[in-house]
Amino acid sequence: MKDLVGIKEISRQEIEEILNTARAFKEVLTRDIKKVPTLRGKTAINLFFEPSTRTRTSFELAEKRLSLDVLNFSVSTSSVVKGETLYDTLKTIESYNVDYIVIRHSASGAAKFVADNTPACVINAGDGTNEHPTQALLDAFSIVEVKGKLDGLKIAIVGDIIHSRVARSNLYLLSKFDTEITFVGPPTLLPSDVPSNVSISYDLKKGIKDADVVMLLRIQLERQKGAFIPSLKEYFHVWGLKGDAFSYLKKDAIVMHPGPMNRGVEISSEIADSPRSIILRQVTNGIATRMAVIYLLTRREV
Ligand code: CP
């Protein structure tokens, strides 16, 4: 593959190869010297048109651990604010003969547009409401670390599914394995075109009580055009995962959140900071997973 634009386009076998490679890189990250010379002499640029903490920092660390030269492109101090287009920004960057472009953009399809217009390897770090493939891969890696497998698991995805690229990438990934997926949330935040392999629950307790994995999602106010929920306070009251869930969740169920999480909206501190939560493990695994993706891509020769 030259690019990783979405999980939709890749096979179960390719996903397993990425997870196995990430496992090897995770071992590298436990060493005193957490760096390999694998991609020395090559260059990566991180092109973030939207804010990010986890994805941006873990891509940068992954690139540095692989000995890449790294450029971080800051939109707010670039000529984008003077009206330069995505295409012209891309062509400018390409003139430096970069090998990898990591892009986050508010427009669905932006990563594919960039991938189609450059010989460099392009990795989608989140495009609008479309996909966030490396998040789904690090989520899968984290689940396998804790549960030992994906096949046979019941996974509940809870919250603002309609606006979530994380939910879409996880749906595509988990559907390539033998998983039982349930979307849980208020009707206004669930998509109308739910695939036939996915169950729906409008009741938090019923939707998650049998789950092995509970994936919470951020309420994406910045993408909501209209009133999807009465208020954040009411959302927390009805849909937020709170301490009472300990009484009905399966004893070995794990709780995930891609971040940034809103405490007191999607999740209480009691749950977020409990041993059930693997939220910080997800963050840690972002580095090895992204190292694996970068390592496995191959630039098109021109
Ligand atoms: N999960 C995720 O994409 O977080 P950031 O927006 O902080 O990168």
Side-chain angles (χ1 to χ4, degrees), residues 21 25 38-39 66 100 290-298:
T21 308
F25 280 129
T38 321
L39 296 178
L66 289 166
Y100 299 91
R290 289 174 172 128
M291 284 174 81
V293 170
I294 295 166
Y295 172 75
L296 290 169
L297 296 180
T298 311

Side-chain angles (χ1 to χ4, degrees), residues 41-45 68 96-101 119-122 299:
K42 298 201 178 287
T43 307
I45 182 156
L68 280 155
Y96 304 135
N97 198 18
V98 300
D99 300 283
Y100 299 91
I101 298 173
C121 298
V122 174
R299 193 183 199 277

Side-chain angles (χ1 to χ4, degrees), residues 7 11 28 33 45 53 55 63 71 90 95 101-102 129 136 149 164 167 174 193 195 286-287 292 297:
I7 297 291
S11 66
V28 169
I33 298 170
I45 182 156
T53 297
T55 312
E63 291 152 358
L71 279 169
L90 171 65
S95 308
I101 298 173
V102 175
T129 57
K149 60 179 184 177
S164 175
L174 295 168
D193 54 344
I287 304 172
L297 296 180

Side-chain angles (χ1 to χ4, degrees), residues 161-229:
I161 293 166
I162 198 168
H163 298 105
S164 175
R165 55 197 178 203
V166 174
R168 284 170 74 90
S169 287
N170 267 301
L171 170 66
Y172 294 137
L173 190 151
L174 295 168
S175 298
K176 295 176 200 282
F177 291 79
D178 181 23
T179 58
E180 282 183 45
I181 306 166
T182 306
F183 283 173
V184 185
T188 48
L189 293 180
L190 301 190
S192 53
D193 54 344
V194 175
S196 57
N197 63 317
V198 176
S199 308
I200 286 186
S201 176
Y202 301 128
D203 181 301
L204 180 67
K205 185 174 173 180
K206 283 186 191 153
I208 68 173
K209 72 178 172 44
D210 296 323
D212 301 295
V213 177
V214 179
M215 271 186 191
L216 303 176
L217 298 171
R218 182 171 68 85
I219 292 288
Q220 308 216 3
L221 289 176
E222 77 277 20
R223 297 191 212 284
Q224 294 186 8
K225 293 182 178 65
F228 286 78
I229 49 173

